[in-house]
Amino acid sequence: MGTESKSYLTIFADGVEQEKILLDEYDDRKQLHNLMAEKGFQKKPRKQIEKDMEERHARMKAEKEERRRREAEEKMQAEEERRRYREEKGLREPDPPHLLLQKHREMLKEQQRQRQEAAEAERREQEREKERERALQMLQVHKEFHEQQREQRATKQSLAQQHRYVDKMLERRKVEKDLNRTRLLLLEHRDYRTRQREQSQAKQLLEKHRSMREKRLEPKFARLEMVDTAETASFHDEL
């Protein structure tokens, strides 16, 4: 069963891999453009690209013509050196044409190799310079990102402190409310006990007053009964 291939964007700085991004996570062109802008790549307009291509073709054409001119000069110089060499050695017969052609081809290959090495070295230097610029941009973005994270952490800590303070105040208010409710209940209970005590005392005083009054009225009732008995007896005697 074959494995699914994935596309990656690898960013280098001075020949060292800095970051590897999975491109399959970006669905449309807009997200890719935003990614490139975020990583420091600049999108050139079409006219600028066409202008750069024309300048590049013109430069390559000029370099090709200059290379042909140098090759022609080098060929003439080589022929002149061979002529002088033959004159110095007293040689009358030149080298066979196939040997001359072979030497010339080897010389051209060596020159072409040297030019390619020089162009490759220049291209690598330009790439290293671009990678250094991108690395500096990435470091700046990374620094700004860390600054934002630090500010967000400070804001979260401040909000957490405010929330803890509010929670403490709410808890304190709740405790104070409970204490006030308890005090009110205690006061109501005390008033209730006081009213009961006063009612009990009033009842006792009323009973005491009633008993004292009955004690004071008992002799009077006794005398009234004696008078009533005497009068009843005299009345019966008269009859």
Side-chain angles (χ1 to χ4, degrees):
M1 186 174 182
T3 58
E4 185 179 356
S5 61
K6 297 182 180 180
S7 301
Y8 291 90
L9 172 64
T10 306
I11 299 175
F12 292 87
D14 295 332
V16 180
E17 182 177 343
Q18 298 292 323
E19 188 178 0
K20 196 168 186 179
I21 302 170
L22 180 62
L23 296 178
D24 294 340
E25 297 177 355
Y26 301 88
D27 299 328
D28 54 5
R29 185 183 298 272
K30 185 176 181 181
Q31 291 181 354
L32 288 174
H33 283 311
N34 294 334
L35 174 64
M36 294 299 175
E38 181 182 354
K39 299 304 178 182
F41 297 96
Q42 295 180 356
K43 182 181 178 182
K44 294 183 179 180
R46 187 174 184 84
K47 292 183 179 179
Q48 183 66 29
I49 295 174
E50 292 176 354
K51 184 179 179 182
D52 293 341
M53 291 295 292
E54 291 176 358
E55 291 177 358
R56 182 180 177 184
H57 287 309
R59 186 169 61 252
M60 291 176 64
K61 185 176 181 181
E63 289 176 357
K64 189 175 182 180
E65 291 176 356
E66 180 65 20
R67 186 165 59 252
R68 288 179 179 176
R69 185 183 62 78
R70 286 199 303 267
E71 289 175 356
E73 291 178 356
E74 290 171 357
K75 185 176 180 181
M76 292 176 64
Q77 185 177 0
E79 291 177 355
E80 183 66 22
E81 289 177 355
R82 284 195 298 272
R83 186 183 62 79
R84 290 178 183 176
Y85 176 79
R86 287 196 301 272
E87 289 177 356
E88 289 175 357
K89 297 295 182 178
L91 299 176
R92 295 181 179 179
E93 292 294 333
D95 294 335
H98 66 279
L99 292 178
L100 292 175
L101 183 60
Q102 183 179 0
K103 290 180 180 179
H104 182 66
R105 287 176 178 174
E106 291 177 355
M107 182 182 63
L108 290 177
K109 288 181 180 179
E110 181 65 21
Q111 292 176 355
Q112 185 177 3
R113 185 183 63 80
Q114 292 177 357
R115 286 193 296 270
Q116 288 177 353
E117 290 178 354
E120 183 67 19
E122 184 179 0
R123 185 183 64 80
R124 290 178 180 176
E125 183 64 27
Q126 291 177 355
E127 288 180 354
R128 283 196 293 268
E129 185 66 27
K130 290 180 180 179
E131 292 296 335
R132 282 193 289 269
E133 293 178 357
R134 292 170 186 168
L136 290 174
Q137 292 177 356
M138 291 296 294
L139 287 175
Q140 183 66 26
V141 172
H142 189 66
K143 184 178 179 181
E144 292 176 356
F145 176 73
H146 277 288
E147 289 292 334
Q148 292 178 357
Q149 281 190 335
R150 192 178 297 111
E151 292 177 357
Q152 290 177 358
R153 284 195 297 270
T155 304
K156 288 181 179 178
Q157 290 176 358
S158 177
L159 289 173
Q161 290 178 356
Q162 292 179 3
H163 290 164
R164 285 195 296 271
Y165 176 75
V166 170
D167 292 338
K168 287 181 180 178
M169 292 298 296
L170 291 174
E171 187 67 24
R172 186 177 298 173
R173 289 182 180 178
K174 184 178 179 181
V175 171
E176 290 178 354
K177 190 180 291 184
D178 293 338
L179 288 174
N180 292 331
R181 190 181 295 110
T182 305
R183 290 194 189 98
L184 290 174
L185 290 173
L186 288 174
L187 290 174
E188 290 178 357
H189 184 67
R190 189 179 298 171
D191 293 339
Y192 175 73
R193 294 292 298 276
T194 303
R195 286 195 300 271
Q196 281 188 338
R197 193 181 300 113
E198 290 177 352
Q199 290 176 0
S200 179
Q201 290 177 357
K203 190 174 181 180
Q204 291 176 1
L205 288 174
L206 183 60
E207 292 291 335
K208 186 177 181 181
H209 181 69
R210 186 178 297 170
S211 62
M212 290 175 65
R213 184 177 179 184
E214 289 177 354
K215 287 179 181 180
R216 285 197 304 267
L217 292 175
E218 281 179 358
K220 293 181 180 180
F221 287 134
R223 286 194 298 270
L224 288 173
E225 288 178 357
M226 290 176 65
V227 172
D228 189 21
T229 303
E231 289 180 352
T232 303
S234 63
F235 176 72
H236 284 294
D237 290 340
E238 291 177 357
L239 292 174

